[in-house]
Amino acid sequence: MIEVDSRGRRCPLPIIDLARKMPSVEVGEVVRVLADDPAAANDIPAWCRMKGQEYLGSPAPDTYDVRRLR
């Protein structure tokens, strides 16, 4: 699992961090985003829908898992 630590960064920076990491992620791999900005709870699933990636959920507070689909 690849981890992107965006704690302490405010919207839209956690999404920008995720988007910048995705080109280096293999299809099928999971990226875990650590983000304590409350907006991330809505922004990350919305970004996944817009970009055709799979939002896997939030397994812990301030933690969001995304699977690269394409």
Side-chain angles (χ1 to χ4, degrees):
M1 179 177 297
I2 297 165
E3 192 170 276
V4 174
D5 189 351
S6 293
R7 290 175 289 193
R9 295 167 60 87
R10 296 291 168 223
C11 179
L13 295 176
I15 296 300
I16 292 170
D17 294 343
L18 173 59
R20 284 184 177 158
K21 179 58 84 175
M22 289 307 267
S24 67
V25 175
E26 296 289 329
V27 171
E29 279 191 283
V30 174
V31 177
R32 174 163 285 171
V33 181
L34 306 176
D36 52 6
D37 180 1
N42 293 318
D43 291 350
I44 292 174
W47 182 87
C48 290
R49 286 190 301 273
M50 290 184 342
K51 297 298 183 178
Q53 307 302 340
E54 182 181 7
Y55 177 64
L56 299 175
S58 180
D62 301 335
T63 305
Y64 308 92
D65 290 347
V66 176
R67 182 183 325 273
R68 180 163 186 193
L69 295 181
R70 52 185 170 127

